[in-house]
Amino acid sequence: MTTTTPHEARVPASAAATVTPAAGPGGTELSEEEFTARLAPLRREILAHCYRMTGSVHDAEDMLQETYLRAWRAMRGFENRSSLRTWMFRIATNTCLTHLEGRKRRPLPTGIGAPPADPRDQPREDTSVPWLEPLPDALVWSTAPADPADTAVGRDTVRLAFVAALQHLTAQQRAVLLLRDVLAWSAAEVADALDLSVAAVNSTLQRARAHMANVQDEPPLEPTDPRHRELLARYVAAFEAYDVAAIVELLAADVVWEMPPFPGWYQGPAAVGELIATWCPATGPGSMRLLPTSANGLPAYGLYMRGADGVHRPFQVQQVTLGEDGVRHVTVWFGEALFARFGLPAELGPQEGAAPAR
């Protein structure tokens, strides 16, 4: 499986050796390096688009590579009848649609239709479900996007609630909604790209918008709000002290806690507090350390659990959504591979201190 980051995406060497060199406008042949450089500004945008379509960073990176390979093969047929950006997104969208044929959607636990779980019951994994994956911010932004208007990939378009809502749509509905409402294509452009009629595009968009309006969440507390940094600092301190009462105090009245691959999800401060107090393997203050990162345009933390040898090792990655009345939603993922994807260290030695909250 391809694991290169978007700034490293390029035509595979095997393909470059067997495919006729691409040609630019006027029939001038492009080398692999020229081709890659010409499309470099689009890579992060296309990766984000493929992530929205698939709900998986692994799949999005594979689709990015496949998009570049298809573009390399088809560059001789590109006649500037549309912009290079439009042409590339057309290829990426159809690449994703082909990939999604016959595949299951990627939900979060809150999206599978079950009621909140009882925190007294031991959580049990369900690895048969292809769960929605987090998107490390570093893959789509070189720095944290303070203002969506300042970046080609707006935070709201990769927000976890938005991508989770997309997973309830058919693949074609996702494609139409993203091309029309995120990329701002005309109905005629979408129809041409997806081989649909304009009427079909408009009816598909109407159904997709209606569904998205029912499942999207309210906007989170912005990083510029003075309470943002204070809440996160208190959240980190409460976990590192394993102070369940302090954690509960920070939670909004309707807080939701979910942690794929466990299908159970929990609602309300009391339920979340009981879940942590009952099933968290921490043994006391200092058992956990949190290092800051960011995912889907929101703050996230790599949580390390202390072993018997005093070394803290990867346990879970938490994405934290803040609201006006406190922590509103926490989504948790597990796995050491996830820490590497976020650029987090493989372990924290006994003498290492926790980084400050962002």
Side-chain angles (χ1 to χ4, degrees):
M1 177 173 289
T2 301
T3 56
T4 52
T5 55
H7 59 276
E8 295 170 330
R10 54 192 302 121
V11 180
S14 58
T18 59
V19 178
T20 302
T28 304
E29 287 191 356
L30 298 177
S31 67
E32 179 193 346
E33 290 72 21
E34 291 169 330
F35 173 82
T36 301
R38 187 176 180 190
L39 298 180
L42 300 175
R43 288 180 188 128
R44 292 179 186 272
E45 285 187 83
I46 293 173
L47 180 75
H49 180 66
C50 294
Y51 171 73
R52 298 184 199 106
M53 284 290 297
T54 64
S56 164
V57 174
H58 294 84
D59 289 353
E61 289 179 329
D62 284 348
M63 294 305 97
L64 175 67
Q65 295 290 339
E66 179 64 20
T67 295
Y68 272 69
L69 177 56
R70 292 187 182 189
W72 170 257
R73 288 170 170 164
M75 181 61 82
R76 285 181 175 276
F78 176 59
E79 299 175 351
N80 288 333
R81 287 177 292 184
S82 64
S83 71
L84 185 62
R85 181 176 183 271
T86 298
W87 184 69
M88 287 296 292
F89 272 97
R90 176 175 180 152
I91 295 174
T93 302
N94 282 289
T95 298
C96 289
L97 287 173
T98 300
H99 169 77
L100 291 168
E101 289 178 1
R103 293 178 182 267
K104 296 179 180 179
R105 66 186 181 93
R106 287 182 172 271
L108 287 173
T110 48
I112 60 178
D118 189 330
R120 294 169 296 184
D121 296 336
Q122 184 173 5
R124 298 190 181 278
E125 295 183 55
D126 186 351
T127 56
S128 67
V129 177
W131 299 102
L132 181 62
E133 298 174 359
L135 175 69
D137 283 4
L139 293 182
V140 289
W141 299 297
S142 55
T143 57
D147 184 350
D150 293 338
T151 179
V153 180
R155 281 187 302 152
D156 289 344
T157 71
V158 292
R159 192 91 15 98
L160 198 62
F162 178 72
V163 179
L166 287 173
Q167 297 302 303
H168 291 269
L169 306 178
T170 67
Q172 182 172 282
Q173 287 173 338
R174 282 179 231 171
V176 169
L177 182 84
L178 292 173
L179 294 177
R180 290 284 282 121
D181 288 356
V182 175
L183 298 181
W185 286 19
S186 69
E189 288 175 315
V190 176
D192 182 58
L194 303 183
D195 196 21
L196 298 170
S197 67
V198 171
V201 167
N202 289 334
S203 63
T204 300
L205 180 63
Q206 185 178 15
R207 291 192 298 272
R209 283 174 173 171
H211 185 81
M212 294 292 285
N214 291 331
V215 294
Q216 287 192 64
D217 204 355
E218 63 183 79
L221 195 67
E222 290 295 328
T224 52
D225 191 300
R227 292 167 295 176
H228 191 273
R229 181 178 290 272
E230 178 192 358
L231 274 172
L232 290 179
R234 292 172 60 194
Y235 183 85
V236 171
F239 264 93
E240 293 189 336
Y242 193 38
D243 187 339
V244 177
I247 295 171
V248 169
E249 185 180 344
L250 296 170
L251 305 179
D254 59 349
V255 65
V256 168
W257 182 285
E258 55 187 332
M259 45 186 192
F262 299 94
W265 61 280
Y266 308 86
Q267 187 165 37
V272 173
E274 187 167 5
L275 174 76
I276 295 171
T278 305
W279 301 111
C280 179
T283 57
S287 293
M288 297 180 282
R289 292 194 184 159
L290 279 70
L291 292 187
T293 183
S294 52
N296 299 81
L298 289 174
Y301 293 92
L303 189 153
Y304 294 76
M305 193 69 65
R306 184 175 58 198
D309 57 359
V311 176
H312 287 75
R313 294 182 175 84
F315 181 61
Q316 61 184 215
V317 171
Q318 299 184 3
Q319 188 200 62
V320 183
T321 303
L322 303 179
E324 295 290 336
D325 54 349
V327 176
R328 196 174 70 216
H329 200 129
V330 179
T331 307
V332 178
W333 293 270
F334 298 84
E336 290 186 24
L338 193 58
F339 279 67
R341 183 168 291 278
F342 275 91
L344 293 166
E347 63 180 39
L348 300 178
Q351 305 303 316
E352 295 179 64
R358 285 181 180 173

